[in-house]
Structure formats: C-alpha cells, structure tokens
Amino acid sequence: MFKHLRKWFVTHCSRRSRQRARLVSKDGRCNIEFGNVDARSRFIFFVDIWTTVLDLKWRYKMTIFISAFLGSWFLFGLLWYVVAYVHKDLPEFHPPDNHTPCVENIHGMTSAFLFSLETQVTIGYGYRCVTEQCASAIFLLIFQSILGVIINSFMCGAILAKISRSKKRAKTITFSKNAVISKRGGKLCLLIRVANLRKSLLIGGHIYGKLLKTTVTPEGETIILDQTNINFVVDAGNENLFFISPLTIYHIIDHNSPFFHMAAETLSQQDFELVVFLDGTVESTSATCQVRTSYVPEEVLWGYRFVPIVSKTKEGKYRVDFHNFSKTVEVETPHCAMCLYNEKDARARVKLGYDNPNFSLSEVSETVDTKM
C-alpha cells in the first residue's frame, strides 16, 4: 500500500509541475515575468500613468486612493497654517480686536486641516472662510479647488474604469476542461466547447488558436514558444458567432494541421500548449474583451466526444444542462489522422477503377514435348 501511495504522490507532483510550466493558465492569466528591465524603461510606466493605475491590484489602488486625498488635505492644511502664521492670525500672536485674518476661525493646525478638507470637498460649513485681506490666501484657495477637482476626477475615474473593465465580462465565458479528438462530418477534428453564462450576447465574436511549442530551425536555432496558427470554426464559420447557447468549435486535422503527424499513442508524449482565444464586443457596454484558455497534451482526449447538453422542455423552451458541460464519452476514432486519410485515398482509388465489358479471359493450355 505504501508503494501505491508513493506512486500516486510522485504522479500527482509531476502532474502539478507540468501544469505550472504553461504560458497561459486555464483562467486566462499569463505565466510570464520580465527580468533585467532597464531603469529608464521602468520610467515609461509612470509616463503612461493611467494604464498603470488601471492595472494595479485593488489593494494598491485603494491605498493610492486614500493616500491621495489624505495627503492633499494635510499638505494644503499645512499651507493654510503657514498663511495664518505669516499673517499672525494665530492666537499665540494676540492679534488686536480690529485685526482681520486671512481665514476666519483658524486657531491651529487642526482647524487649518479641517478648513483644507472643507475647501477641497466643497462642504462649506460656513464657520471658516477666506477674507479679502490676503491675496496669497485667495490664490491658495483657487489652486486647491482646481487641484481637488483634478484629483477627484482622476481617482474616481480610475475606480469606475476598473469596475467596468471588460475583463470581468470575460469571467462569464467558460471553456471545457478538456479538448477532444474525434470524427466530425467524416473528418478527424479537435473539438472544444465554449459557453456564455450570461443571456446578453457577445457581438462580433471571433475565435482562433495558437499552438506553442519549442522548435529547431534548419540552421540549428532553438525557438522557444514558437507560434503556429490554429484555425477554429463552427458550422457557420469562425466570425460573428451567434453566442446564445454553448458552441462546439472544432479544428480540422488535415495535411496542413500541426496535429496531422500525431497519434493517439504519442499524443501524451508531445510537448505543446494550445492557446484558444475568443474576441468580441460586450453588448451592454460596447467594450471589446478577450477570453483565453490553454490545453496541454494531458488535457486533449483522443477518441472522445462531448455529451449533448441542449434539450427542449415541454413548455417549448431550450434548456442547457451545464452539469454535462465538460463530460465526454468514448467513441470509435482512428488512432491517427494519417491512417484516416490513407484509408480515404485507398477508397478513392478503388472508386476510380472501371469494368471493361469487351475484356475476356482466355485460358491457354501448354503442352510440353519431351524427347527421350
């Protein structure tokens, strides 16, 4: 029993290590990092500050959001305190009764901070206000009002843009856990199932794939993650998909397909990653989105097909059973594409033969004379 447990543990660990060595995860995240990036190149991220802020995680974004407001309130509160200190409006200077301060009712740093907050968020309680005594105070009021509007617009716009990003719409589009290879329409095909979990459509859908593998050129150059185009279609084509119900997309394995020279026995020994993309426009927001997933050789099942999941109820409605979304059944399938096409070629050559009614077979008897 210990041997079986050790074997299962080694197999499970090796399977997990193989799964980690994929470029695109099942949920579409890219497993790649950039090293030795020049410091000047990193500065470009601050030049494109809008995209940088949008790509930040929520915890960093909220930290920047809170810090921007608190920092600006405290900074301008300090400036208001300096204005009051220079003009000797503070109580420690004992101003006379006829003294007109730059800002009414500022008695220290705390009241200066509160006035800064009231000014920037336009609360306007009416207790503290700027007088016409100091031009510097009027200029500071204008500057803080303009800067406050900029900060509000940028930070609130960044929060709203991140919430409404089409990335979240992509979470409601799912692919089957496995890809299958079986016959479809008399041709050997690689099939994948994809479904839209929302009732709102994805407009102008376009689906395609990339096969990633390490190749060696005739010149001896090793290309890691070499990309090969994989054409996926449905019965109505691969563009402008009517994505109201789950679709089964397929790639025809013909002479031009990179899967043509693979077989059922050698598929698990291959080293490739099939990345599938679905591009479209969200119907409700008109924003473009992309959904992607990937399949490694262990996730491609040869000789299987998907179980039907669409049925019609007694009330006349169409029902989709997502319990069987990734379920497969074993079917009779040629063990390689080359065998299927060789069989078809042989049948085609037989059909090219014809009968000649004027041809007759005559037997000739030979006699052998032997002289003694």
Side-chain angles (χ1 to χ4, degrees):
M1 182 177 180
F2 178 74
K3 291 182 178 180
H4 291 289
L5 290 175
R6 185 175 62 180
K7 183 178 179 181
W8 176 87
F9 180 76
V10 171
T11 305
H12 184 69
C13 292
S14 62
R15 185 179 302 172
R16 286 178 62 88
S17 62
R18 286 196 301 267
Q19 289 179 351
R20 291 173 186 166
R22 63 199 307 164
L23 180 63
V24 180
S25 62
K26 297 297 288 185
D27 58 355
R29 291 180 288 108
C30 295
N31 180 26
I32 192 169
E33 63 179 13
F34 301 99
N36 299 324
V37 179
D38 188 30
R40 290 174 296 180
S41 300
R42 294 182 182 273
F43 182 73
I44 300 176
F45 291 97
F46 294 98
V47 176
D48 187 15
I49 187 64
W50 179 253
T51 306
T52 303
V53 172
L54 288 183
D55 290 339
L56 288 176
K57 295 182 179 180
W58 274 109
R59 54 180 177 268
Y60 302 124
K61 185 184 291 292
M62 295 307 299
T63 302
I64 294 175
F65 182 85
I66 297 173
S67 301
F69 284 103
L70 289 179
S72 62
W73 295 340
F74 179 79
L75 176 62
F76 281 101
L78 185 62
L79 293 177
W80 286 116
Y81 179 82
V82 171
V83 170
Y85 183 87
V86 172
H87 198 253
K88 297 183 179 181
D89 299 334
L90 300 177
E92 58 262 27
F93 292 107
H94 304 287
D97 295 337
N98 59 351
H99 177 76
T100 304
C102 295
V103 181
E104 294 282 357
N105 301 313
I106 286 187
H107 308 297
M109 188 61 201
T110 303
S111 57
F113 176 80
L114 292 176
F115 178 72
S116 173
L117 189 151
E118 295 170 13
T119 301
Q120 189 163 327
V121 300
T122 64
I123 294 177
Y125 289 122
Y127 182 68
R128 300 177 183 89
C129 61
V130 178
T131 64
E132 58 185 13
Q133 185 69 24
C134 303
S136 58
I138 298 174
F139 175 79
L140 185 59
L141 177 66
I142 296 174
F143 182 72
Q144 184 178 7
S145 300
I146 295 175
L147 187 62
V149 171
I150 295 175
I151 294 175
N152 288 341
S153 302
F154 184 85
M155 298 310 301
C156 295
I159 296 294
L160 180 61
K162 190 170 181 65
I163 293 175
S164 60
R165 292 184 80 176
S166 55
K167 260 186 181 180
K168 303 304 179 183
R169 177 64 175 91
K171 300 295 183 181
T172 57
I173 297 175
T174 180
F175 289 87
S176 58
K177 182 180 178 181
N178 298 98
V180 298
I181 295 179
S182 60
K183 290 178 66 176
R184 187 184 181 96
K187 299 177 182 179
L188 193 63
C189 300
L190 184 143
L191 301 98
I192 297 172
R193 180 172 278 174
V194 57
N196 179 17
L197 301 181
R198 287 187 179 273
K199 291 185 178 181
S200 58
L201 297 178
L202 201 66
I203 308 300
H206 173 68
I207 195 160
Y208 56 97
K210 300 285 184 181
L211 186 70
L212 309 179
K213 62 186 304 185
T214 302
T215 59
V216 180
T217 63
E219 295 77 17
E221 179 185 3
T222 302
I223 302 177
I224 301 177
L225 298 179
D226 187 25
Q227 301 183 14
T228 305
N229 290 327
I230 302 294
N231 296 322
F232 282 98
V233 295
V234 292
D235 293 333
N238 65 340
E239 294 184 357
N240 299 323
L241 304 176
F242 186 48
F243 210 1
I244 192 65
S245 63
L247 298 175
T248 300
I249 61 175
Y250 59 91
H251 163 71
I252 300 175
I253 304 178
D254 53 12
H255 296 82
N256 299 321
S257 172
F259 296 96
F260 183 75
H261 298 285
M262 300 182 188
E265 297 80 6
T266 62
L267 179 63
S268 60
Q269 303 172 5
Q270 302 292 327
D271 184 17
F272 67 84
E273 181 178 352
L274 176 62
V275 184
V276 184
F277 303 87
L278 174 61
D279 299 338
T281 304
V282 181
E283 184 182 28
S284 56
T285 62
S286 298
T288 58
C289 72
Q290 182 184 84
V291 194
R292 51 187 176 266
T293 190
S294 68
Y295 298 92
V296 292
E298 291 79 7
E299 296 170 344
V300 180
L301 307 179
W302 194 296
Y304 288 81
R305 66 172 176 84
F306 291 110
V307 174
I309 60 174
V310 180
S311 60
K312 195 171 183 179
T313 62
K314 296 180 179 179
E315 294 78 11
K317 293 184 178 181
Y318 292 94
R319 183 176 183 272
V320 179
D321 184 11
F322 280 97
H323 180 71
N324 298 327
F325 180 73
S326 294
K327 280 190 176 181
T328 58
V329 292
E330 191 172 0
V331 292
E332 183 179 355
T333 306
H335 75 283
C336 66
M338 190 177 299
C339 300
L340 176 63
Y341 284 97
N342 288 341
E343 181 183 354
K344 286 185 176 182
D345 293 342
R347 292 177 180 175
R349 284 194 296 268
V350 171
K351 291 182 179 180
L352 290 177
Y354 59 93
D355 295 332
N356 186 359
N358 296 326
F359 177 80
S360 60
L361 177 64
S362 59
E363 295 182 358
V364 179
S365 60
E366 297 182 354
T367 57
V368 180
D369 296 334
T370 304
K371 294 182 179 180
M372 298 298 295

